[in-house]
Amino acid sequence: MKVIKNEHVTQLMLHNTNKYCWYYAACSGNGNIIMSVSNTHCVFIYTKIGELLATYGTLRTSGDGPGRLNGPFGVCTESYNNIIIADYNNRRVHLVSPQGQFIRFILTLDDFEDGENPKSVALAPEGHLVVVTENGVVSVEILEIMTSNKMRNPHGY
């Protein structure tokens, strides 16, 4: 097993004294490492050798529009290495390119019941996005993922 020591990650963790900070990680098919750090309001994308490739969100500044996060939690990737992010406090699920560019919202506030915030995301082999919330699980069928990195779904998700 090879352990990569990364100064950027180490600094984030050392300066994070908030006991309510959450870290989530995923690996993409191309070997990139995706890490969300909830109280930085960012998702960091690293190469497989640990170099920072991109940051999605604005460091230590929450926001609620495209490209902005407010307490990111779970992350996962799909077959084109796009990143799926559970944006806990905004009650949204983002789809982001492997380079950290906003593509679209998969789920928004209107898709969740009161008190339900997305905590964790996973992509099942049959093409369903599983979103774990405070009160249960929401499953969204992903019908087609286009090679142009745009997701189509006739249900409007």
Side-chain angles (χ1 to χ4, degrees):
M1 181 166 114
K2 183 178 179 183
V3 176
I4 299 170
K5 186 168 182 174
N6 183 294
E7 190 62 32
H8 185 258
V9 175
T10 303
Q11 285 181 359
L12 282 172
M13 292 178 154
L14 288 175
H15 292 95
N16 234 335
T17 57
N18 184 342
K19 66 180 179 178
Y20 298 107
C21 180
W22 301 99
Y23 300 91
Y24 291 83
C27 292
S28 64
N30 62 5
N32 286 347
I33 302 160
I34 294 88
M35 186 174 93
S36 73
V37 183
S38 64
N39 72 353
T40 66
H41 309 294
C42 287
V43 169
F44 303 97
I45 305 164
Y46 298 95
T47 65
K48 58 186 165 187
I49 60 170
E51 297 171 340
L52 182 64
L53 178 66
T55 301
Y56 180 75
T58 303
L59 189 61
R60 301 206 192 308
T61 305
S62 64
D64 65 358
R68 302 295 300 274
L69 297 166
N70 187 359
F73 274 46
V75 291
C76 70
T77 62
E78 44 86 298
S79 60
Y80 293 102
N81 299 311
N82 291 318
I83 302 162
I84 300 168
I85 305 168
D87 186 359
Y88 183 82
N89 291 319
N90 285 328
R91 295 170 56 193
R92 291 187 179 134
V93 176
H94 298 239
L95 181 65
V96 177
S97 76
Q99 297 77 32
Q101 300 298 309
F102 176 80
I103 297 173
R104 67 189 212 82
F105 294 118
I106 298 172
L107 295 171
T108 64
L109 182 69
D110 295 334
D111 296 304
F112 295 100
E113 301 289 328
D114 286 342
E116 286 188 331
N117 295 52
K119 289 184 104 173
S120 185
V121 289
L123 201 56
E126 66 276 2
H128 286 83
L129 175 64
V130 179
V131 180
V132 178
T133 67
E134 293 286 318
N135 301 324
V137 175
V138 177
S139 180
V140 179
E141 185 171 350
I142 300 174
L143 298 177
E144 186 176 357
I145 299 174
M146 306 297 290
T147 56
S148 65
N149 289 336
K150 301 261 188 219
M151 190 177 286
R152 284 192 352 197
N153 187 314
H155 303 294
Y157 297 127

